[in-house]
Amino acid sequence: MAVDFRCAVHGSVFWGCVVILSNVLCPIDAYLYNNRYAGDQVFRITPSNEGEVRELKKLLGNIKVDLWQPNSASLIRHNATVDVHVRRNNTRGLRACLQKEHIDFKVFISNLQKEIEKQTGYRSSRKRRSESQYDYEVYHSLEEIQSWMFEINRTHPHLVDMFSIGRSYEGRPLYVLQALHSYQHDSVMRRLINQLNFYIMPVFNVDGYIFSWTTDRFWRKTRSKNAKYHCRGVDANRNWKVKWCEEGASSHPCDDTYCGPFPESEPEVKAVAKFLRKHKKRVKAYVSIHAYAQMLLYPYSYKYATIPNFNCVESAAHNAVTALYSAYGVRYRYGPASTTLYVSSGSSMDWAYRNGIPYAFAFELRDTGYFGFLLPEALINPTCTETMRAVKTISSGLLKKCETGMYQLDRERYPYL
């Protein structure tokens, strides 16, 4: 089971730490940014008709903004909320224009710098280096996460194996943890780990991690390789070779949804794709974790169509969100990504499914926009706990044969679906 994590969770118990490891990114100390986000605001805008959608797209096209949800102006729809980060020198103008056009909005983060500092202001006093001192309820730097991985591998070689599958654009190793045989008292977890292979890729884009701040919008962009445009780089989740650079992706280097010059152009994407191709006969499920929206998605993302093993995957998703809900009563929507979220081409989830991995999912974790990409550290543990219940449920389902027979039949006929 391959797990690609880029989310706001850490494990609260050992096995959970291995499977749910990475986090929404934070700078090591907010002051390093010289108050660059002071006065920046995040607007929540809700156009009520097609006319307002057109006007909103025009407005956002005239100023430099960072779209949080959706991640491209082309995906803005009426009666759907739009979360947008606006620089301080543009907030007053945008507010005036929205009021003039009678487009409904509210400011739900009035000072972005202060919200970032809430997550990072007291980091220096925390003990983070060794396994025994590692705090699973705070956000960590890449160096701290990798140090923990080395320590876990050193002290528990019978439980986990650690290896590199390649290097990033800037030469950083791309580490993977593999959960080995389990000796835990939990018989279900022991059976899962003994019968399934868990590969954990905790940080998909290490260069973006190093140079980014809290938002998933920035961190999933690989480092820029386009000196002409001086842009942020390629969206790693739109760089996969499945309907590459079609709907929901952009060919312009300065767009947030830039798909890259060609499929698998990014060394990070290429390394993971090569690894999954090599092990695809053993990989039964692929889980990619993002923030935010409280959704559990499955293929297809690039088109409105029903996957061949829909009944099996739909049942697994339903059971997973039910298990998740049982922890704290948090509700997740679930369904095909194209209809539940939006159409997007070149995603790793679709790629995994098209390359023979029968269960491919993408989590969009907490929340639905109140905190957005700035989920407080106090919510790490409950988010991890509930998500672990969902992942455990999906994993348990892999040990049972789905009775519909749909996938077995279609896989013989269409081996690369």
Side-chain angles (χ1 to χ4, degrees), residues 37-309:
Y37 301 111
D40 288 13
Q41 297 182 339
V42 178
F43 283 60
R44 168 157 285 186
I45 308 167
T46 310
S48 61
N49 54 56
E50 291 300 330
E52 291 186 1
V53 169
R54 288 193 295 272
E55 290 302 321
L56 179 58
K57 289 180 178 180
K58 289 180 183 178
L59 289 175
L60 299 182
N62 290 330
I63 59 175
K64 187 174 180 60
V65 298
D66 173 33
L67 276 167
W68 282 16
Q69 288 284 5
N71 54 24
S72 171
S74 65
L75 299 172
I76 295 175
R77 303 289 185 266
H78 69 277
N79 295 327
T81 56
V82 178
D83 297 343
V84 57
H85 161 214
V86 184
R87 298 305 302 269
R88 57 184 173 271
N89 57 331
N90 290 324
T91 56
R92 184 176 298 180
L94 179 59
R95 184 191 301 265
C97 290
L98 292 171
Q99 290 173 337
K100 179 182 177 182
E101 299 297 335
H102 304 289
I103 300 176
D104 182 58
F105 76 95
K106 65 178 180 179
V107 176
F108 73 93
I109 295 180
S110 59
N111 190 324
L112 193 55
Q113 182 73 25
K114 288 184 177 180
E115 294 301 318
I116 295 173
E117 289 172 353
K118 286 180 182 179
Q119 292 187 348
T120 60
Y122 52 97
R123 285 176 168 262
S124 58
S125 64
R126 293 176 178 152
K127 296 178 180 179
R128 297 167 176 272
R129 294 297 175 186
S130 71
E131 176 198 344
S132 61
Q133 295 176 327
Y134 195 88
D135 191 339
Y136 296 105
E137 297 188 21
V138 300
Y139 292 116
H140 290 270
S141 69
L142 175 65
E143 179 186 2
E144 291 163 354
I145 291 174
Q146 291 187 342
S147 294
W148 176 87
M149 293 170 70
F150 277 106
E151 183 68 10
I152 287 293
N153 185 225
R154 184 184 69 81
T155 56
H156 301 282
H158 58 292
L159 291 179
V160 295
D161 186 25
M162 179 178 173
F163 52 92
S164 173
I165 60 171
R167 291 190 173 272
S168 71
Y169 174 68
E170 295 187 351
R172 295 181 178 85
L174 304 173
Y175 289 118
V176 171
L177 280 179
Q178 180 183 0
L180 304 175
H181 295 294
S182 171
Y183 298 95
Q184 298 189 40
H185 296 296
D186 185 335
S187 61
V188 175
M189 294 309 301
R190 182 169 62 248
R191 183 166 173 249
L192 285 175
I193 295 180
N194 287 345
Q195 295 189 32
L196 299 173
N197 289 286
F198 286 85
Y199 297 105
I200 301 97
M201 290 160 267
V203 181
F204 187 82
N205 173 19
V206 296
D207 296 339
Y209 193 108
I210 288 291
F211 292 96
S212 301
W213 63 294
T214 46
T215 75
D216 178 71
R217 288 296 316 121
F218 283 1
W219 105 253
R220 72 184 182 192
K221 303 280 281 186
T222 60
R223 295 292 287 159
S224 178
K225 307 167 188 177
N226 198 314
K228 176 181 178 181
Y229 293 101
H230 301 287
C231 299
R232 291 201 293 262
V234 176
D235 183 339
N237 203 39
R238 284 171 169 77
N239 190 233
W240 295 75
K241 194 174 182 179
V242 52
K243 298 298 178 181
W244 172 78
C245 219
E246 295 186 10
E247 188 171 355
S250 172
S251 59
H252 194 282
C254 286
D255 287 345
D256 284 334
T257 56
Y258 177 46
C259 58
F262 53 86
E264 298 179 23
S265 61
E266 309 311 290
E268 301 87 350
V269 174
K270 188 174 183 178
V272 175
K274 181 180 179 181
F275 176 80
L276 290 176
R277 286 190 186 102
K278 181 178 179 181
H279 297 280
K280 70 177 182 179
K281 290 184 178 180
R282 300 172 62 190
V283 176
K284 303 301 181 184
Y286 175 87
V287 180
S288 177
I289 295 189
H290 309 247
Y292 58 94
Q294 291 179 198
M295 296 179 181
L296 177 55
L297 310 171
Y298 53 81
Y300 294 108
S301 177
Y302 71 89
K303 65 178 179 178
Y304 300 110
T306 301
I307 56 177
N309 62 330

